[in-house]
Structures are given as C-alpha cells and as structure tokens.
C-alpha cells in the first residue's frame, strides 16, 4: 500500500465496510427495545434477525455478479440506499411481517451489497496486484472496526433518542458512506475482475 492512491482506495473501502457491517451487527441491540415497544415477543423479532443473517450471506455472491456485469458503483450505491431505507422504515413497520421486510430483507440486502465481495473486488481493480493482499486485510479490518464502533454508538442512541430515533439516526449514518463510493469506483468497469471471487467472512 505504498501508493497514495492505493491507500486512499483501501481506506475508502474499509470505511464503507465499517458502516455496513457496523449497522448490521448492531441490530441485535434493538431486540429488547423492539420487544418492549411492540410486544411482538423475542421469538418473532429474533426470527427477523435470523432471516437477515441468511439474506446478508445470500445477497453477496449475487451482488458480486452484478458488480462484474455492470460495475461496482451502481451496486454499492443501491446497497447503501437500501440499507438506509430498510433501517428508516423499521419504526414504521412494527408487525412481525413488517420486521421481516425491513430488517430481514431490505437492511440485510443493502448490507450484503455493500460487503466483502463487492468492496474487495472494486478496490482490487484500482491497485497493482502486489498491493491487493494487504488491501484485503485492511478492508476486512474495517468491518471489524465497524462492529466495535457501532455497538456503543447504537446503544447510546437508543438511550438518548429511544429505539425509533436511534433507527432513524442509523439510517442517516449509513448514508455517510455514499461519498466514499466514488473513491473506489472511479473509472472502474464491469467484466474487469470478478468481484464475486473475493473471499469474504463474517
């Protein structure tokens, strides 16, 4: 990562993954407040969270294939917007089916589209081959850092704003990743490097 450009691309990708992973992992903090507010029960809310975990994993290879075909930029933009939309709609859809739609599908789909497979592939297109291994490690570290940062942040937001206000705040925070997309997708095209082939981990 000696090149300034490669470092900037790597840090931008790590920043996006920090947001998407942090938002996804912090959802567990909302189970108790959601249950208290809606009375749906821990089982129904946890089921929506479990569907979200499945959706997040299932979307990643599809998002990687889409990035190969049309380029990573539209995939990442769509992912961040869908993540923010699903998070913002959650306080408005507080039935069991509503949570399956917002948390189980929308938010998880958005987080999956902005996760490892697309980000590592997009970053690799912008740097020399010898820098890609180091870049992948830094990008993965961004995901871990996101979990570390977002958990206390979400907890504090819930305490100060209530769970609904915290959800709206998390949706707004997710949108902060949008400016970083241009840094890692400038000039990139589909068909250049299979993003779906990048290794990913939870």
């Amino acid at each position: 990562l000696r090149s300034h450009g490669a470092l900037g691309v790597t840090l931008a990708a790590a920043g996006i993954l920090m947001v998407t992973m942090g938002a996804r992992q912090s959802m567990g903090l909302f189970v108790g407040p959601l249950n208290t507010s809606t009375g749906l029960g821990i089982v129904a809310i946890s089921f929506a969270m479990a569907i979200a975990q499945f959706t997040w994993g299932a979307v990643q290879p599809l998002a990687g294939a889409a990035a190969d075909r049309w380029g990573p930029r539209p995939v990442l933009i769509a992912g961040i917007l869908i993540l923010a939309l699903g998070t913002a709609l959650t306080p408005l859809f507080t039935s069991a089916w509503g949570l399956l739609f917002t948390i189980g599908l929308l938010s998880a789909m958005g987080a999956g589209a902005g996760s490892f497979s697309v980000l590592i592939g997009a970053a690799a297109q912008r740097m020399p081959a010898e820098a890609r291994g180091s870049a992948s490690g830094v990008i993965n570290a961004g995901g871990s850092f996101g979990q570390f940062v977002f958990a206390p942040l979400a907890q504090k937001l819930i305490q100060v704003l209530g769970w609904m206000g915290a959800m709206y705040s998390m949706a707004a925070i997710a949108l902060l990743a949008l400016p970083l997309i241009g840094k890692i997708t400038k000039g990139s095209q589909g068909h250049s490097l299979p993003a779906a082939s990048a290794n990913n981990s939870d």
Side-chain angles (χ1 to χ4, degrees):
L1 296 181
R2 296 177 182 177
S3 165
H4 177 74
L7 179 60
V9 169
T10 300
L11 292 178
I16 295 172
L17 189 60
M18 180 186 75
V19 171
T20 59
M21 286 293 290
R24 184 180 78 89
Q25 293 290 351
S26 63
M27 280 294 171
L29 297 172
F30 290 87
V31 173
L34 264 167
N35 182 49
T36 301
S37 176
T38 65
L40 288 174
I42 297 295
V43 172
I45 299 170
S46 297
F47 180 68
M49 301 286 183
I51 293 298
Q53 181 75 359
F54 172 80
T55 302
W56 177 80
V59 161
Q60 287 192 61
L62 299 177
D68 291 341
R69 185 174 180 84
W70 295 293
R73 182 179 178 84
V75 176
L76 290 171
I77 290 175
I80 296 300
L81 292 177
I82 293 171
L83 170 61
L85 178 64
T87 305
L89 287 178
T90 300
L92 306 178
F93 291 78
T94 53
S95 67
W97 285 106
L99 294 183
L100 282 174
F101 175 65
T102 57
I103 294 176
L105 294 179
L106 284 182
S107 294
M109 287 172 61
S115 196
F116 301 95
S117 59
V118 177
L119 287 169
I120 293 177
Q125 294 178 24
R126 303 288 313 282
M127 62 184 62
E130 62 269 17
R132 292 171 185 168
S134 299
S136 296
V138 174
I139 294 169
N140 277 298
S144 300
F145 186 69
Q147 298 172 54
F148 176 77
V149 169
F150 271 69
L153 175 61
Q155 188 65 59
K156 189 65 175 179
L157 288 172
I158 292 170
Q159 292 172 356
V160 174
L161 303 175
W163 77 268
M164 291 185 176
M167 279 284 185
Y168 294 134
S169 298
M170 295 289 281
I173 291 170
L175 294 176
L176 295 177
L178 285 174
L180 298 175
I181 294 174
K183 180 67 177 176
I184 65 171
T185 60
K186 183 179 179 181
S188 63
Q189 302 292 332
H191 305 290
S192 55
L193 182 75
S197 67
N199 292 329
N200 62 76
S201 59
D202 189 356

